[in-house]
Amino acid sequence: MPVPAPVPVPAATRSSGAPDPAPPRPARKGPATAAMLVVGFVLLSLNTRVAFGQLGPLAPVAGFGTGSLTLLGLLPPLCMGLFAPLAATARRRLGEERGLFWASALLLVGAIVRVLGLPGLFIGTVLVSIATAVVNVLIPVFVRSRFAPRRVGVMMGVYALSMGAGSALVAALMVPVWQASGHSWQTAIGLAVVPAALAALGIAPQLRHAERGMGPDPVRVGVFGGRGSGGGGGRGLAWSLIIFFGLQTLLFYTTLAWLPAILVDAGVAKGTAGGMQSLFILGVAIGGFLTPVLAAPRADQRPHLFAVILICALGYAGLLAAPASAPAIWSLVLGIGLGGGQAVAGVLYVKRGRDHDHVAALSTVAQTGGYLLAAAGPVTASVLHAVTDTWTVPLLAFMGVLLLSTVASLRAGHDRPTGPAPAGRS
């Protein structure tokens, strides 16, 4: 979904008030080396969400059962929550570059397995989700350590933009390839192998720059208020990040899974509904790029969080009031809002973190809890639709989730003041 945008913060504005003891590790000098870094980063970014955007366009035409679609919608957030802590082990034992390379290799294997019939689709989705869990956590720290401080916010915007664009392109090709291949969903799903292979090849040159790092320990670095918590915010900050990211991710994956079905039930043609999925993902790319770039330079991200929540509310309100009248508008608006909500989470990790380990720990904890929370979304929406025989109730529930997300964002969106309060005037 889309994903995290860390930005180095001056010591004076960090929650702890202390300088980062682990300054960014710049990429090796030279235009060729810099170009390889950027190209590899973009290729990895293009591939990160491709597999998750394939089923929505195929769902109305390929004959997948409701149970299969529900499970396939549940697996990505569930596996990414369960396996996000694996990134800490990968970072400690391999370093960020090696961790990203082997995650890309696993993602390629998963993309290949997904074409081996329905059982392969389930198994491959699990493998892809595990690999994506590692990438999600490592990318913020990788960007912070390998790019110059002035470039970090923009590069995380590029990450989100590339991620959405790659997924949108492949999603747009699903129905045409399905039709051209004689209605073979395996052939359409197999398109994901191409960007997966390119991602692994693109990140491979960074192995020569790999350095072994230390994986974060959430207790040691004070994520939940333990030793060394300093001004990091303790439990309140951690839970705020978990709940905000979790609710935004719940809405993202639920909408990704069921948007075409919502539109078809409203009277939109099946082919058109599949195309709206691509437009939704394009909106994710736009929102994912703009929100981190706008939020990163600020000390207080709450206005940006409220803005993306309002944009999401507008999209869901449109689906409630007139889904068949302007499906392209609602799909694009929802994509922009949900893409921004996903991507801005990375800004929050870095703005609230004290150093590289603390950023990685916040990212790990938020994504572990957040994705596990999000896993309930696709299933709950399916149950509500089955019980009520309408999408009105699930959409109203989405609006309620946005309200909860607003409350959850209040602590994560700004630094807690440090030091004694200033004395009042006599």
Side-chain angles (χ1 to χ4, degrees):
M1 313 270 108
V3 183
V7 183
V9 186
T13 64
R14 268 195 198 99
S15 300
S16 64
D20 192 335
R25 171 167 49 90
R28 275 46 171 191
K29 301 297 183 181
T33 300
M36 290 176 67
L37 174 62
V38 173
V39 169
F41 177 75
V42 170
L43 289 174
L44 177 64
S45 305
L46 285 169
N47 180 59
T48 307
R49 291 294 186 275
V50 163
F52 304 146
Q54 290 184 295
L55 290 176
L58 289 174
V61 297
F64 294 114
T66 300
S68 295
L69 286 173
T70 301
L71 182 55
L72 289 166
L74 166 68
L75 285 174
L78 178 62
C79 290
M80 284 190 280
L82 291 173
F83 290 96
L86 182 63
T89 302
R91 181 171 179 252
R92 181 173 60 251
R93 296 185 178 180
L94 303 174
E96 289 126 32
E97 289 84 357
R98 291 190 185 94
L100 289 172
F101 172 76
W102 287 111
S104 297
L106 179 61
L107 203 153
L108 174 58
V109 172
I112 294 171
V113 171
R114 276 165 56 92
V115 306
L116 304 179
L118 196 58
L121 183 59
F122 288 111
I123 296 171
T125 298
V126 170
L127 296 178
V128 167
S129 301
I130 293 172
T132 304
V134 174
V135 173
N136 282 344
V137 174
L138 292 185
I139 277 290
V141 189
F142 174 77
V143 171
R144 180 168 173 167
S145 65
R146 291 298 303 276
F147 290 93
R150 69 182 184 280
R151 307 264 185 212
V152 174
V154 173
M155 291 311 298
M156 285 308 302
V158 169
Y159 171 62
L161 177 64
S162 301
M163 181 169 56
S167 185
L169 176 61
V170 173
L173 293 172
M174 286 297 96
V175 173
V177 171
W178 173 79
Q179 292 172 333
S181 63
H183 297 177
S184 169
W185 64 261
Q186 289 95 333
T187 302
I189 290 290
L191 283 181
V193 173
V194 176
L198 291 174
L201 290 173
I203 203 66
Q206 301 311 313
L207 291 175
R208 61 179 175 170
H209 304 304
E211 296 179 9
R212 295 186 182 276
M214 178 185 297
D217 178 343
V219 176
R220 182 182 64 80
V221 298
V223 169
F224 284 104
R227 286 181 296 148
S229 61
R235 292 181 179 85
L237 172 61
W239 283 112
S240 182
L241 286 168
I242 289 171
I243 296 171
F244 173 77
F245 178 75
L247 294 178
Q248 285 292 309
T249 305
L250 181 150
L251 292 174
F252 173 78
Y253 280 98
T254 306
T255 305
L256 188 68
W258 295 113
L259 179 60
I262 292 171
L263 294 175
V264 168
D265 276 13
V268 177
K270 292 182 177 180
T272 301
M276 294 305 99
Q277 180 86 336
S278 301
L279 197 58
F280 166 75
I281 297 173
L282 178 62
V284 169
I286 296 171
F289 175 74
L290 292 177
T291 308
V293 171
L294 294 174
R298 310 294 180 183
D300 187 344
Q301 287 76 48
R302 285 174 296 183
H304 305 87
L305 304 185
F306 297 158
V308 298
I309 290 170
L310 286 174
I311 293 170
C312 292
L314 176 61
Y316 287 126
L319 287 181
L320 276 167
S325 299
I329 294 177
W330 313 135
S331 300
L332 186 62
V333 167
L334 270 174
I336 292 172
L338 291 173
Q342 287 277 285
V344 77
V347 175
L348 304 182
Y349 304 150
V350 173
K351 286 287 194 176
R352 308 292 90 85
R354 298 183 305 275
D355 51 43
H356 291 168
D357 279 354
H358 195 211
V359 170
L362 287 174
S363 179
T364 301
V365 166
Q367 294 190 56
T368 299
Y371 276 119
L372 290 176
L373 175 62
V379 176
T380 302
S382 177
V383 170
L384 289 175
H385 176 255
V387 170
T388 63
D389 198 29
T390 176
W391 285 106
T392 300
V393 173
L395 288 170
L396 288 172
F398 296 166
M399 299 288 274
V401 170
L402 286 175
L403 183 59
L404 293 175
S405 182
T406 304
V407 176
S409 71
L410 295 176
R411 173 63 192 95
H414 71 110
D415 288 333
R416 172 178 290 175
T418 57
R425 292 180 183 176
S426 56

